[in-house]
Amino acid sequence: MKLFILKLLAVFMLFGMTSASASATAHAEAPGSTLKEETYEAKPFSQMIGGFLTSTGINALVNPDPNELNSHGHTMSDFHKSWGRVIMIFVTFLLFWLAIRKGFEPLLLLPIAFGGLLANIPVANIAGEHGFLGVIYNMGLANEMFPIIIFMGVGAMTDFGPLLSNPKTALLGGAAQFGIFGTLVGAVALSQYTDIFNFTIQQASAISIIGGADGPTSIFIASKLAPELLGAIAVASYSYMAMVPIIQPPIMRALTNDTERKIKMTTRRHVSRLEKLVFPIMVLVLAILVLPASTPLIGAFMFGNFLKESGVVERLNDTLQNALINIVTIFLGLGVGSKLAADQFLVTDTLAILALGIVAFSAGTAAGVIMAKIMNLFPGEKINPLIGSAGVSAVPMAARVSNKVGMEYDRQNMLLMHAMGPNVAGVIGSAVAAGVLISLFQ
């Protein structure tokens, strides 16, 4: 019996060893096996150096890869692969200089410029679908999330007191929206009667919103009406927002005289806490009843402001004003900068959008100043026309520019708080204008 058991165990052991050997052989030969044969072949040192040199960015710029695709998987011209990238890299260096040396909105311009620099690095495809800039763009710009969060933060930092204490300054914010609708009409006319432009009514609507100098609103409406132009519109809008201190002062000086620039405005009445609490709810209710298409932006804006004015959620208010908006600004800047790639920026459509955008922004600035001059023709307290330029919704940049230009002519003339009235009215106005265009043309 013992001998039989030993023989049986020997048979089982032999069978097991045979099966294990067969399994190992099959596993080694299986195509999905983790045991991979060595495929690297030894190369001469000179060949290794040559391979390294062909993988450098210098070689990619000098000898572009004919099979290289852009971030959307489309073919690129040799110009965009070589000299176009070089040009855009120098453009980002210019933006660095403006942000650091001149102080032109560095919080916004530096992330955009650095994103543009990364997007033009050859070979790496950082702005591609799986590159980290492409991931940032898709997770917050393509789906409108970043603009809405930015509006929450801006709302938390906004004080409606100047507007409520002097309600007629809201007319200046409304007048500045002329740049939006005037450019819309002009873009449609040019597309219809000339061969220079070929924009649809939806594309023209998305481009015209640049006149409000409101980056989040521009991104929001572009994603709704013209997603194919989202990158160019975002870059143009944020570029003009950053260049408010360059673009606006010449227009303001050209439309006013020394006497008008020296007009001093008196401090208005004190605005109660109850008024500040009721105002955001009232604006939101009106938007819901009249123009629900604008409520994503206006709702986020008023939510941030209501948290601030409630006075009972300081932690949330502090997060919106600081940590959250700072984080989103970094991501938004990098995402917008990803569209500064040469193949997307150095094209006819983008250049046309930049041209129409500067016209829209200049027209909005001029309309606000002219409206203030018209209001001064009627009896009552005079308005310094310089604050009319703050009717565009670049908060608080436009208000600071109004104050700066005013103090150049009278060091005692502080216009900042007065300019905040039309400035915050411009934010609401641009969101309303976006809602109107979406309602009409979506």
Side-chain angles (χ1 to χ4, degrees):
M1 186 66 178
K2 291 182 180 180
L3 182 60
F4 174 76
I5 294 175
L6 289 174
K7 288 181 179 181
L8 187 61
L9 288 175
V11 171
F12 278 124
M13 290 177 64
L14 180 62
F15 178 77
M17 291 174 63
T18 303
S19 300
S21 176
S23 176
T25 302
H27 185 68
E29 295 177 353
S33 172
T34 58
L35 298 177
K36 190 175 181 180
E37 293 184 3
E38 182 64 61
T39 59
Y40 175 76
E41 296 180 2
K43 300 176 182 178
F45 182 73
S46 60
Q47 188 175 352
M48 294 173 63
I49 294 297
F52 171 76
L53 292 177
T54 57
S55 68
T56 62
I58 296 175
N59 182 71
L61 294 174
V62 176
N63 301 305
D65 180 2
N67 298 318
E68 183 180 0
L69 303 177
N70 64 11
S71 59
H72 298 291
H74 302 147
T75 57
M76 301 169 61
S77 69
D78 286 343
F79 169 76
H80 288 142
K81 297 174 189 175
S82 55
W83 284 109
R85 281 173 170 158
V86 174
I87 291 171
M88 290 309 302
I89 288 172
F90 279 106
V91 168
T92 61
F93 289 166
L94 174 62
L95 296 179
F96 288 150
W97 181 78
L98 290 174
I100 297 172
R101 180 67 176 177
K102 296 297 184 180
F104 290 163
E105 299 305 322
L107 292 177
L108 187 62
L109 214 54
L110 280 180
I112 291 177
F114 211 93
L117 178 60
L118 293 174
N120 284 285
I121 294 175
V123 181
N125 198 26
I126 298 176
E129 183 180 0
H130 300 294
F132 86 89
L133 288 184
V135 172
I136 290 173
Y137 182 85
N138 290 324
M139 78 177 184
L141 287 173
N143 61 9
E144 310 158 14
M145 179 59 68
F146 288 165
I148 291 176
I149 295 176
I150 290 290
F151 255 64
M152 289 183 190
V154 172
M157 293 187 290
T158 298
D159 181 9
F160 285 118
L163 176 62
L164 293 173
S165 66
N166 192 4
K168 66 181 180 181
T169 58
L171 296 175
L172 303 179
Q177 309 313 310
F178 172 81
I180 295 175
F181 294 100
T183 304
L184 170 62
V185 174
V188 172
L190 287 173
S191 298
Q192 187 170 359
Y193 298 111
T194 71
D195 296 329
I196 302 176
F197 303 105
N198 189 28
F199 295 120
T200 65
I201 185 67
Q202 292 178 318
Q203 291 175 331
S205 299
I207 294 169
S208 67
I209 208 71
I210 299 173
D214 191 337
T217 303
S218 298
I219 293 172
F220 182 82
I221 189 173
S223 64
K224 294 281 189 183
L225 299 182
E228 68 279 5
L229 300 180
L230 179 58
I233 289 173
V235 170
S237 182
Y238 277 101
S239 297
Y240 292 139
M241 283 180 66
M243 291 190 290
V244 162
I246 299 176
I247 299 172
Q248 283 197 322
I251 299 172
M252 297 158 66
R253 296 188 185 100
L255 295 176
T256 58
N257 55 46
D258 284 351
T259 302
E260 291 173 327
R261 297 177 200 130
K262 293 178 181 179
I263 293 176
K264 290 188 176 181
M265 300 179 65
T266 59
T267 303
R268 309 293 292 185
R269 67 177 182 85
H270 172 72
V271 178
S272 68
R273 179 167 174 262
L274 179 60
E275 289 178 275
K276 292 183 178 181
L277 279 171
V278 171
F279 183 75
I281 299 299
M282 181 183 69
V283 171
L284 181 57
V285 169
L286 289 175
I288 293 171
L289 295 176
V290 180
L291 200 61
S294 67
T295 51
L297 290 177
I298 291 182
F301 186 64
M302 296 306 165
F303 168 70
N305 184 258
F306 190 73
L307 291 186
K308 169 182 176 288
E309 299 300 344
S310 69
V312 295
V313 285
E314 190 54 37
R315 287 171 54 190
L316 300 183
N317 178 45
D318 179 70
T319 298
L320 281 178
Q321 291 192 37
N322 297 287
L324 184 60
I325 197 170
N326 288 337
I327 292 171
V328 175
T329 297
I330 293 172
F331 286 146
L332 187 143
L334 290 172
V336 170
S338 71
K339 298 306 175 182
L340 286 177
D343 62 288
Q344 298 181 53
F345 197 80
L346 296 179
V347 294
T348 305
D349 284 350
T350 299
L351 298 179
I353 289 170
L354 289 172
L356 288 171
I358 190 65
V359 171
F361 181 67
S362 300
T365 299
V369 175
I370 293 172
M371 174 58 77
K373 292 167 69 73
I374 293 174
M375 293 171 66
N376 284 341
L377 298 176
F378 296 91
E381 182 186 356
K382 301 299 181 184
I383 295 175
N384 190 314
L386 294 178
I387 72 170
S389 64
V392 296
S393 58
V395 178
M397 293 170 282
R400 290 206 299 260
V401 170
S402 298
N403 183 66
K404 182 176 180 294
V405 175
M407 292 187 69
E408 290 176 0
Y409 297 91
D410 184 351
R411 299 297 299 175
Q412 305 300 319
N413 194 8
M414 300 293 293
L415 296 174
L416 181 59
M417 292 308 298
H418 300 289
M420 286 302 298
N423 209 184
V424 297
V427 177
I428 299 174
S430 64
V432 170
V436 170
L437 295 175
I438 291 172
S439 298
L440 292 176
F441 303 123
Q442 189 175 27

